[in-house]
Amino acid sequence: MRHVFFLMFCASPVLADGCPTAPDHRAEMDPLYQALLVAPDEMSARLITNEMWGYWDNAPDEPSQSMLDEGMRARARFDFVFALERLDALVSYCPFYAEGYNQRAFVNFLREDFEAALPDLERALELNPRHVGALSGRAVTLIALGRDDAAQSALRAALDVNPWLPERALLKTPIGDDL
């Protein structure tokens, strides 16, 4: 009987197949990215970005969604140890899901471990180059690391996607340049 239970447990789809491919939300997201570029004000852009988060936070399957949700809840209550444990598990399980890396970077940013945050932001952007949260997160992480030139470049890339980001206040406009 124990042998049958062991076989059933090991044959479960999650353990046998690993994380499925992340949902492809390009059809839903493309109009949102376009809307950001023509948003009339910061509040309108924030509403669009909030809608985007609904797609970014849509994990590939139930186990990965659980890991993401648990990690984000732990982060919200400043339990960074548990948050990192859940997000480490998520990126191990779903190495092609950008939001796992983005959320782990955010936890490390809050812990002021900027060196740990940066590679996760880079990976999130490899997987989703227009992820506004990862783009702006990369810019503020580079600022925190004192890498001003790279930070300004990263901030400009983020503003190319969402010109209404609150981080736009961190942009240093060179004399004679108009944005």
Side-chain angles (χ1 to χ4, degrees), residues 17-23 60-61 64 93-94:
D17 298 330
C19 182
T21 303
D61 63 4
S64 59
Y93 176 64
C94 293

Side-chain angles (χ1 to χ4, degrees), residues 93-153:
Y93 176 64
C94 293
F96 300 107
Y97 176 51
E99 194 55 32
Y101 295 96
N102 185 57
Q103 289 298 321
R104 189 168 69 177
F106 188 30
V107 170
N108 281 316
F109 183 87
L110 293 172
R111 293 176 57 238
E112 298 184 7
D113 188 350
F114 309 118
E115 291 290 345
L118 195 56
D120 278 342
L121 291 165
E122 299 289 348
R123 180 64 179 142
L125 290 168
E126 285 173 17
L127 295 169
N128 183 353
R130 296 189 299 175
H131 191 299
V132 176
L135 285 165
S136 61
R138 183 172 180 271
V140 296
T141 299
L142 288 165
I143 289 170
L145 288 168
R147 294 172 51 189
D148 290 336
D149 290 341
Q152 290 298 303
S153 177

Side-chain angles (χ1 to χ4, degrees), residues 2 10-11 13 22 25 28 35 38-40 43-44 47 52 75 81 94-95 101 111 115 129-131 140 142 171 178:
R2 260 192 266 190
C10 288
H25 294 296
E28 297 89 355
V38 297
M43 181 54 84
S44 299
L47 293 172
M52 292 172 137
R75 182 202 69 224
V81 171
C94 293
Y101 295 96
R111 293 176 57 238
E115 291 290 345
R130 296 189 299 175
H131 191 299
V140 296
L142 288 165
L171 187 65
D178 250 347

